[in-house]
Amino acid sequence: MKNETINFILICVAYFSIGLILAGNYVQDKTIKITQDTLETLIKIEMVTEKQFNNLQDRVKELEDDGSRRIANIRK
């Protein structure tokens, strides 16, 4: 009876340990997936922000050129 109880406890501990390992792997996989998704989103945001910044730079250049032309026209 004593050996059966010890064996039962050891089997329960083994199954519990396997369950913890599997749960840990699952959580790790989900964390990696969330991290990858977050990184991809940040890269997309950076690309959009960079594009908007470049558009603003182009617009400023256009306005500067337009202002220079107007000043040149006034001086004539």
Side-chain angles (χ1 to χ4, degrees):
M1 186 78 172
K2 191 174 186 180
N3 285 338
E4 292 174 3
T5 305
I6 292 173
N7 286 341
F8 177 76
I9 291 172
L10 290 175
I11 290 171
C12 288
V13 168
Y15 278 117
F16 182 73
S17 298
I18 291 170
L20 285 177
I21 291 169
L22 293 175
N25 288 340
Y26 175 80
V27 170
Q28 184 178 18
D29 290 344
K30 289 297 180 184
T31 303
I32 289 171
K33 177 69 174 137
I34 290 169
T35 304
Q36 288 173 338
D37 291 347
T38 303
L39 184 58
E40 289 172 5
T41 302
L42 289 173
I43 290 170
K44 289 176 186 175
I45 290 170
E46 181 183 7
M47 289 170 54
V48 169
T49 304
E50 185 175 349
K51 185 176 180 181
Q52 289 173 338
F53 178 73
N54 290 338
N55 289 344
L56 284 173
Q57 280 184 322
D58 292 344
R59 182 67 181 135
V60 167
K61 181 72 175 139
E62 289 172 11
L63 290 172
E64 287 174 347
D65 292 345
D66 186 49
S68 297
R69 282 193 300 275
R70 289 182 181 190
I71 291 171
N73 287 337
I74 292 172
R75 288 184 181 165
K76 287 181 182 180

